[in-house]
Amino acid sequence: MIQNSQDLFKRAQRVIPGGVNSPVRAFRAVGGNPIFMASAKGPYLYDEDNNQYLDFINSWGPMILGHACENVEKAVQDALGNSFSFGAPTRREVEMAELIISMVPSVEKVRMVNSGTEATMSAVRVARGYTGKDKIIKFEGCYHGHGDSFLISAGSGAITLGVPDSPGVTKGVAQDTITVPYNNLEAVKIALEANKGQVAAIILEPVVGNMGLVPPVRGFLPGLRDLCDQEGIVLIFDEVMTGFRLAKGGAQELYNVMPDLTTLGKIIGGGLPVGAYGGRKEIMDCVAPAGPVYQAGTLSGNPIAMAAGYAMLTYLNEHPEVYPYLDNLTSKMVEGMRENLTQLNLDYTINQVGSMFSIFFTSDPVTDFDSAKQSDLALFGQYFNSMLRQGIYLAPSQFETLFVSIALTDKLADQYIAANLAALHEIHQLA
Ligand SMILES: *Cc1c(COP(=O)(O)O)cnc(C)c1O
């Protein structure tokens, strides 16, 4: 029964564009209507009709400790008694900045904002202000929020200028964004050669979660670091997804490659709307009021959000065993899925880094957006719906990663593997 969800979606469509406040929630890529959630605890979501789901989205990453975890809940409750916002500096902001800097290796100074989108928009502005150059290089299939500069597709060939990906993004903005294929250093070199002395920043997801999970190939991240050093370009790791997830210091710690600027979001707010950008002192001191690059926020560093984020990060900082636990549990599920595929004589690609993983319905390796797009999307839609019927809530798009939380147990991982087998059976009518 999903009657209440259906009714709410009807009402929502009358008053909210597409019935949702963020497009992927609408289930358009998989068919069917979105499910409206009422509550969540640990590994489970509960919808408006009281159905239970085992959650592999975890609010798109933030709920790495499971839903409604007690330490974050308590921190928010404690903070609530002191009013919700002051518009003046607070102790929590200092403590939060100190904690972030102690955890993320390349960050020496940090500015809090309210979303990942704000973090990436601001980081690019700072990189431009710092270098005095206008253009940025981004990678096809990487998502950096909905800032105009990022909603740009590749033109024809690596050396051409970008084209707007969305109405409302001007050609003028598109001119300053160069889009190249992920994991392709050669394409970056060609783009740099064609735009000599004009590139302020290279921005990327050091591990991509936004075309499904795609890891960097060996040498890609160090190669970008070298190119940026040679050309005086600011290297920005967008760790909105990977920060505090792949290691307490994010992908930069895992791969031991240091960016100049890092953008953070998702986990950093413990489920409340928080983002941050930070990096080398010299660059961050360009930000107002220390420097001339303007960036501000009425609710930035909000005390309730800081309390949640601080509790979340403190837990991760003090419990390093979280990461091997998540890695092992995710590896177990991936192994189980691989055995399922072998048993059914199927050959699909599974990518995993730490507690992020994706199955692509193609037998070819997935290393960039073109190869990700080889996945059979109709099959993915059937797979998604079969899992949903079994009470497993996956991301409703092939081009999203799944996230594991510490609320997931060995037994629940077995349940996931069994559901995966049943879903693969069903979509191939092998049952
Ligand atoms: C989610 C995400 C963003 C955007 O963050 P919002 O909080 O949704 O604005 C930016 N970059 C990456 C890598 C993300 O995964």
Side-chain angles (χ1 to χ4, degrees):
M1 262 295 271
I2 48 165
Q3 194 57 48
N4 293 337
S5 275
Q6 304 280 19
D7 293 346
L8 280 167
F9 191 50
K10 274 197 201 109
R11 281 168 60 193
Q13 283 175 295
R14 280 185 220 121
V15 289
I16 304 171
V20 291
N21 281 312
S22 197
V24 73
R25 295 179 199 169
F27 278 29
R28 293 209 175 176
V30 290
N33 290 334
I35 292 163
F36 282 62
M37 295 304 169
S39 69
K41 183 71 193 166
Y44 293 114
L45 294 167
Y46 299 89
D47 71 12
E48 286 280 350
D49 297 278
N50 256 325
N51 300 302
Q52 183 191 64
Y53 305 89
L54 191 56
D55 185 16
F56 285 90
I57 301 184
N58 283 299
S59 188
W60 304 97
M63 297 314 193
I64 190 170
L65 304 183
H67 287 281
C69 73
E70 271 153 32
N71 55 323
V72 176
E73 195 169 287
K74 180 166 183 316
V76 170
Q77 275 162 357
D78 287 350
L80 276 172
N82 301 324
S83 184
F84 323 138
S85 185
F86 309 110
T90 59
R91 171 186 295 275
R92 282 204 174 82
E93 292 162 84
V94 184
E95 291 171 349
M96 184 71 164
E98 287 170 347
L99 183 56
I100 293 167
I101 288 164
S102 77
M103 291 175 77
V104 187
S106 71
V107 173
E108 297 173 342
K109 279 196 177 180
V110 63
R111 171 60 64 82
M112 303 309 302
V113 291
N114 305 292
S115 69
T117 295
E118 251 191 275
T120 55
M121 281 169 27
S122 308
V124 163
R125 183 182 307 137
V126 173
R128 286 174 168 151
Y130 173 74
T131 58
K133 296 185 271 186
D134 288 345
K135 291 187 181 171
I136 61 168
I137 292 181
K138 76 174 282 287
F139 295 88
E140 277 171 59
C142 281
Y143 179 70
H144 304 295
H146 66 86
D148 284 2
S149 303
F150 304 116
L151 299 180
I152 312 290
S153 297
S156 51
I159 60 167
T160 63
L161 302 172
V163 290
D165 223 359
S166 164
V169 175
T170 65
K171 290 194 201 76
V173 167
Q175 274 186 4
D176 287 330
T177 300
I178 302 150
T179 306
V180 296
Y182 195 74
N183 273 331
N184 189 334
L185 269 185
E186 211 41 52
V188 177
K189 286 181 193 156
I190 292 168
L192 286 177
E193 200 51 48
N195 296 277
K196 199 88 188 148
Q198 300 175 63
V199 177
I202 296 178
I203 184 168
L204 75 155
E205 294 179 73
V207 171
V208 191
N210 285 290
M211 49 179 149
L213 194 274
V214 176
V217 295
R218 183 182 284 277
F220 183 57
L221 300 177
L224 291 176
R225 180 64 274 176
D226 289 345
L227 286 174
C228 286
D229 288 341
Q230 285 158 26
E231 307 280 335
I233 294 167
V234 176
L235 180 61
I236 306 174
F237 278 5
D238 182 354
E239 298 228 42
V240 168
M241 227 175 227
T242 53
F244 312 108
R245 173 160 289 278
L246 296 183
K248 77 181 173 145
Q252 56 194 265
E253 178 186 322
L254 189 64
Y255 292 92
N256 195 25
V257 177
M258 296 305 137
D260 300 299
L261 292 178
T262 301
T263 54
L264 297 163
K266 299 197 165 107
I267 289 176
I268 202 174
L272 273 75
V274 179
Y277 65 100
R280 282 167 45 204
K281 262 196 196 95
E282 187 198 352
I283 302 177
M284 289 305 289
D285 279 337
C286 294
V287 179
V293 177
Y294 193 70
Q295 187 272 311
T298 302
L299 293 175
S300 294
N302 172 270
I304 309 302
M306 291 301 99
Y310 188 79
M312 170 67 80
L313 299 194
T314 300
Y315 187 95
L316 295 172
N317 199 33
E318 291 173 357
H319 294 81
E321 71 278 9
V322 160
Y323 296 100
Y325 175 80
L326 289 173
D327 288 7
N328 290 335
L329 200 57
T330 310
S331 297
K332 173 189 159 120
M333 287 190 291
V334 166
E335 277 315 303
M337 290 165 81
R338 292 214 164 102
E339 281 164 24
N340 291 344
L341 290 172
T342 307
Q343 187 184 328
L344 299 179
N345 226 347
L346 296 167
D347 184 20
Y348 297 134
T349 295
I350 302 171
N351 285 350
Q352 180 207 352
V353 178
S355 58
M356 298 165 70
F357 70 109
S358 290
I359 179 169
F360 294 93
F361 290 91
T362 170
S363 55
D364 295 327
V366 174
T367 57
D368 59 13
F369 196 39
D370 275 345
S371 45
K373 282 192 293 194
Q374 295 309 307
S375 183
D376 184 332
L377 300 184
L379 213 51
F380 175 82
Q382 292 167 23
Y383 174 74
F384 169 87
N385 281 298
S386 174
M387 292 295 271
L388 191 64
R389 282 193 293 276
Q390 299 179 73
I392 310 258
Y393 192 71
L394 305 179
S397 162
Q398 172 70 83
F399 303 110
E400 301 286 355
T401 181
L402 300 179
F403 298 99
V404 179
S405 85
I406 62 168
L408 198 78
T409 59
D410 218 49
K411 198 158 151 253
L412 292 173
D414 286 332
Q415 187 188 327
Y416 171 86
I417 294 166
N420 170 267
L421 183 64
L424 290 172
H425 254 291
E426 186 184 338
I427 67 177
H428 288 284
Q429 283 136 9
L430 300 169

